[in-house]
Amino acid sequence: MKYKSFINKLKKRLGTKDLDITTDEYGANGRREYLFYGDTVARWHVERSDYRDPESELRVSSFHTKGVNQESDPHTDYFPGTYWNNATQLIDRLVPPPPKFVPGVLVRGKSENKRAKRMGYAGKTALVTKASGKYMCLQFVCGEDNEWLNSTTGWNGMSYSVRDFELVSG
């Protein structure tokens, strides 16, 4: 990912214009950068797209997060934290994305969605009771008498992916 795009995306999600980024030189062609956000340290590697050209654009890779007080111990093979595949996963770890459907709105399972058909909620209407990021808890309307089937308590307290549902009203 391009460095400027990554920094802009990070600023937008964190809601700040100034980021306190610490830079460590790392080898001849790149550097490591750190950002402390809350109780998490986010780290990534910055290098030029063409190491022979000092004017080439910067690229970002090797996204990593760990706790502020977590330290590596090579004697026991303990290396804290998680490596992420892309910048979006790192940013989602720092600040979870806002929910697509807020609690209190009605949604309906997409009728053309293969998973919704297989799980049996294609075309069924439900009320969003809890939502965080890309998942939500629902309360379905049950039967012809339009009673509510509570799916947020007991054994059926599952969360559903927002991509399987569409907004009915809200």
Side-chain angles (χ1 to χ4, degrees), residues 6-115:
F6 171 66
I7 295 298
N8 289 337
K9 191 173 188 178
L10 195 59
K11 285 179 182 178
K12 182 178 178 184
R13 182 67 76 80
L14 297 180
T16 182
K17 293 184 179 184
D18 297 323
L19 297 175
D20 187 20
I21 297 175
T22 306
T23 302
D24 288 342
E25 293 302 318
Y26 182 74
N29 299 321
R31 65 180 189 255
R32 273 195 195 138
E33 292 188 351
Y34 298 87
L35 172 70
F36 292 90
Y37 187 78
D39 60 349
T40 305
V41 179
R43 183 182 75 188
W44 55 89
H45 186 75
V46 181
E47 59 188 0
R48 301 211 171 273
S49 57
D50 183 4
Y51 70 92
R52 297 167 295 205
D53 181 13
E55 299 299 319
S56 64
E57 68 181 353
L58 297 173
R59 300 241 177 229
V60 185
S61 62
S62 300
F63 304 101
H64 183 263
T65 57
K66 69 174 188 148
V68 172
N69 295 325
Q70 293 178 328
E71 296 298 328
S72 296
D73 184 7
H75 300 291
T76 59
D77 288 339
Y78 174 68
F79 302 101
T82 304
Y83 280 96
W84 303 101
N85 292 328
N86 55 50
T88 302
Q89 291 175 343
L90 173 105
I91 294 169
D92 287 351
R93 169 62 179 90
L94 296 175
V95 180
K100 182 177 180 181
F101 303 117
V102 295
V105 301
L106 286 175
V107 294
R108 178 178 32 242
K110 292 181 180 177
S111 57
E112 69 277 354
N113 187 298
K114 189 188 287 187
R115 180 179 33 237

